[in-house]
Amino acid sequence: MGSHFRVTTYGESHGGGVGCVIDGVPPRQPLSQADLQADLDRRRPDQSQVVSPRKETDKCKILSGVYEGMTTGTPINIFIPNIDPREQDYTEMMVAYRPSHADATYDMKYGIRSVQGGGRASGRETVGRVAAGAVAKKILKQFSGIEVLGYVSQVGNIVLPMELVDHQTMTLDQIESNIARCPNSEYAEKMISAIEYVRERGDSIGGVVSCFVRNCPQGLGSPVFDKLEAELAKALMSIPSTKGFEIGSGFAGTYLTGSEHNDEFFVDEHNRIRTKTNRSGGIQGGVSNGEIINMRVAVKPTATIAKKQLTVTRDKTETELITRGRHDPCVVSRAVPVVEAMVAIVLVDQLMAQYAQCNLFPLNQHLQEPLNLKPNFPNYVYNQ
């Protein structure tokens, strides 16, 4: 994915390993395995009782594109070995399809599939996305102070109220303070209890990952087919198990009138054009306006469960299936760094596109701002 900052992921759940190749990384930028490992650790399994117990350390290796700690401008290959596969857990799935999994559709498309672990349809494919996203985050932070943070705002019917959320002041430490990755401890406990309830019954549960971007420059995105929210939607809907995408007011905005929904403009004390509210979610006309970008991604319940289900075999015989193996009762908390990664990858690509088209020549200083401006916004009321 991407045009200027291009990411390819590779590998399968029970193969030799997974990883990514990143083209277009600027040269002469410091980069080490430690820069990537923190986000990989947030995504890995066996980090709490509410995720898969598969024991993968997800320790990464940078195989190319970095010399003496500096990027060279050539493709960066990041590899993460698989150390704890269990192919025997997938014996039943060699014959019978898991309901709502990609088993059947991969056979329909290719006429063959990698059975163990689901192959490329496994959540393990996202390891490469997170590694690439960590590189993207570092570029964004260094160039213009852009921050991308995600958190769990819903598990099942447990919904974190928006009035308890402040995207201006929320920190990574708040999000990481509990295994649910919910920035509110009271609601985090409720979410954890909901996950444990379904896990004990061999079932699964879904939820919502919210993500926001602070200090995004104005001007990212293109007006028609490559709108910034369209690029974000495509990237986030490519994550396994995602089933919905909203930005700004989202579907709730359809209940409002234009006068209720419009974000009125004002000029702040720094002589910058701002909006009093942010129902647009930081994007208007497909282009970022400099406000906080906020979005939400719906994540369905994990398809692989330990309850008996009706299905069919590859030879079209109806049967029953009880799956074995180490599977997440809820993938929402582990999806948080994946969502952040995909958002960061899109933003770096759009940042490079904007720089290439609109910053080659002097800016119209009355209307345009430098892409690397690091504004210190005063707080304003987020009104959805």
Side-chain angles (χ1 to χ4, degrees), residues 148-151 209-213 293-296 339-340 343:
V148 181
L149 287 174
Y151 61 95
V209 174
S210 293
C211 186
F212 63 94
V213 182
I293 298 174
N294 62 85
M295 65 211 89
R296 292 165 299 286
V339 168
E340 292 175 356
V343 171

Side-chain angles (χ1 to χ4, degrees), residues 35-213:
D35 292 323
L36 317 177
Q37 200 59 55
D39 276 350
L40 289 170
D41 288 345
R42 293 170 67 210
R43 195 224 68 93
R44 70 174 177 82
D46 196 36
Q47 55 184 285
S48 76
Q49 72 267 26
V50 297
V51 301
S52 166
R54 178 171 172 173
K55 298 187 183 304
E56 296 285 353
T57 60
D58 284 352
K59 298 300 181 184
C60 65
K61 300 177 182 178
I62 300 176
L63 302 183
S64 67
V66 175
Y67 177 70
E68 294 185 344
M70 303 292 283
T71 59
T72 62
T74 58
I76 296 177
N77 186 348
I78 302 167
F79 175 72
I80 300 93
N82 293 330
I83 63 173
D84 188 29
R86 290 186 188 173
E87 296 186 3
Q88 66 271 19
D89 288 343
Y90 292 84
T91 304
E92 295 88 351
M93 294 166 234
M94 294 181 67
V95 178
Y97 295 127
R98 286 171 286 180
S100 288
H101 202 279
D103 297 341
T105 49
Y106 270 41
D107 266 355
M108 292 172 185
K109 180 175 178 64
Y110 299 109
I112 189 173
R113 63 187 169 92
S114 175
V115 175
Q116 286 78 17
R120 290 285 282 171
S122 168
R124 188 140 185 82
E125 179 272 332
T126 62
V127 176
R129 300 176 188 237
V130 172
V135 176
K137 282 184 183 180
K138 183 164 187 177
I139 295 170
L140 293 172
K141 186 75 172 179
Q142 184 170 337
F143 183 79
S144 55
I146 300 173
E147 294 180 281
V148 181
L149 287 174
Y151 61 95
V152 175
S153 57
Q154 179 179 339
V155 169
N157 61 4
I158 311 298
V159 182
L160 177 65
M162 279 302 299
E163 58 266 24
L164 299 180
V165 173
D166 185 354
H167 290 161
Q168 287 279 1
T169 61
M170 189 182 298
T171 66
L172 179 62
D173 287 342
Q174 286 178 305
I175 296 165
E176 294 295 313
S177 65
N178 57 76
I179 59 176
R181 293 207 165 94
C182 173
N184 181 281
S185 58
E186 177 186 350
Y187 279 84
E189 288 303 317
K190 294 178 181 179
M191 293 174 181
I192 293 167
S193 295
I195 298 170
E196 290 180 333
Y197 180 86
V198 297
R199 177 177 60 84
E200 291 167 359
R201 287 156 179 78
D203 216 333
S204 63
I205 196 170
V208 174
V209 174
S210 293
C211 186
F212 63 94
V213 182

Side-chain angles (χ1 to χ4, degrees), residues 263-313:
D263 297 315
E264 295 182 332
F265 290 110
F266 74 101
V267 178
D268 70 10
E269 64 268 33
H270 305 290
N271 202 36
R272 303 182 72 246
I273 296 176
R274 303 285 309 285
T275 61
K276 293 182 179 179
T277 54
N278 192 21
R279 300 182 189 93
S280 300
I283 301 173
Q284 295 172 329
V287 177
S288 62
N289 63 5
E291 303 294 340
I292 289 178
I293 298 174
N294 62 85
M295 65 211 89
R296 292 165 299 286
V297 185
V299 182
K300 73 181 180 72
T302 317
T304 309
I305 60 177
K307 281 194 167 186
K308 183 186 296 184
Q309 299 180 91
L310 298 177
T311 186
V312 298
T313 63

Side-chain angles (χ1 to χ4, degrees), residues 210-259:
S210 293
C211 186
F212 63 94
V213 182
R214 286 194 291 241
N215 296 335
C216 182
Q218 298 173 353
L220 303 193
S222 298
V224 184
F225 298 112
D226 297 326
K227 287 180 167 64
L228 183 56
E229 65 262 56
E231 296 297 303
L232 290 168
K234 180 181 179 181
L236 294 174
M237 291 300 292
S238 75
I239 298 172
S241 296
T242 55
K243 285 296 181 183
F245 173 81
E246 285 188 321
I247 192 159
S249 63
F251 289 99
T254 63
Y255 294 100
L256 305 178
T257 63
S259 60

